[in-house]
């Protein structure tokens, strides 16, 4: 039994040595969604609290994101989120990508798909009220994509 505990502890400690890249790319204001559209403060706060950790280059990693194997899952989740939508790189999107992202954002927020329930559990500020969801939906519906 002691050998098993020893090996479990050794493996757990060993995997902590596997590096996870948590460095955020620099945000260029000319490409950043909230800067491009001069997003109102109330909507900007909602986006920062509920979206930006997974959908921007402004991720704030929580303490649990430094403990393997959880760190691997968090990094994978963030990489996937950025692949679908990265508000920090909005300026590099063509109009088709922007329109698609706006439509997907509206439906995801309206249908309670985003933010993910698993994210909300650890980030209570991301738990949007019905009013906040409606405000985000209306904001995105009124965006002028050209």
């Amino acid at each position: 039994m002691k050998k098993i505990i020893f090996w479990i502890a050794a493996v757990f400690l060993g995997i902590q040595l596997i590096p996870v890249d948590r460095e955020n790319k620099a945000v260029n204001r000319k490409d950043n969604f909230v800067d491009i559209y001069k997003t109102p403060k109330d909507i900007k706060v909602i986006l920062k609290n509920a979206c930006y950790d997974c959908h921007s280059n402004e991720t704030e990693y929580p303490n649990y994101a430094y403990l393997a194997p959880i760190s691997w899952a968090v990094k994978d989740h963030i990489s996937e989120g950025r692949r679908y939508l990265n508000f920090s790189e909005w300026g590099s999107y063509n109009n088709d990508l922007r329109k698609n992202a706006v439509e997907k954002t509206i439906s995801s927020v309206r249908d309670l798909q985003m933010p993910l329930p698993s994210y909300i559990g650890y980030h209570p500020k991301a738990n949007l009220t019905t009013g906040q969801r409606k405000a985000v939906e209306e904001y995105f519906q009124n965006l002028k994509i050209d």
Side-chain angles (χ1 to χ4, degrees), residues 1-133:
M1 183 65 165
K2 287 182 182 182
K3 279 186 177 184
I4 293 173
I5 293 171
F6 170 80
W7 283 111
I8 290 172
V11 168
F12 180 76
L13 292 173
I15 64 174
Q16 302 312 309
L17 300 175
I18 299 171
V20 173
D21 180 12
R22 291 180 206 85
E23 187 172 328
N24 289 318
K25 292 197 297 189
V27 176
N28 184 337
R29 297 261 181 248
K30 73 175 185 62
D31 288 331
N32 195 21
F33 176 89
V34 296
D35 294 310
I36 290 171
Y37 294 107
K38 297 178 180 36
T39 304
K41 185 175 179 171
D42 60 329
I43 300 298
K44 186 177 180 179
V45 168
I46 293 169
L47 294 177
K48 296 275 185 172
N49 287 337
C51 309
Y52 264 51
D53 272 347
C54 297
H55 295 286
S56 80
N57 295 337
E58 298 180 43
T59 304
E60 294 180 19
Y61 289 92
N63 290 337
Y64 61 82
Y66 291 85
L67 187 63
I70 297 168
S71 58
W72 306 337
V74 169
K75 180 60 180 175
D76 183 61
H77 181 83
I78 291 167
S79 295
E80 184 177 345
R82 287 176 180 170
R83 247 190 326 273
Y84 285 105
L85 171 62
N86 188 331
F87 286 112
S88 298
E89 298 178 6
W90 186 267
S92 68
Y93 290 2
N94 65 41
N95 282 347
D96 288 337
L97 283 174
R98 289 179 184 184
K99 288 175 184 175
N100 185 48
V102 165
E103 290 172 12
K104 184 66 175 165
T105 299
I106 291 168
S107 65
S108 296
V109 170
R110 181 182 49 229
D111 299 341
L112 307 178
Q113 295 172 335
M114 286 288 163
L116 294 173
S118 58
Y119 181 78
I120 291 170
Y122 291 99
H123 303 86
K125 288 182 182 179
N127 192 8
L128 302 180
T129 65
T130 302
Q132 288 172 315
R133 287 182 183 278

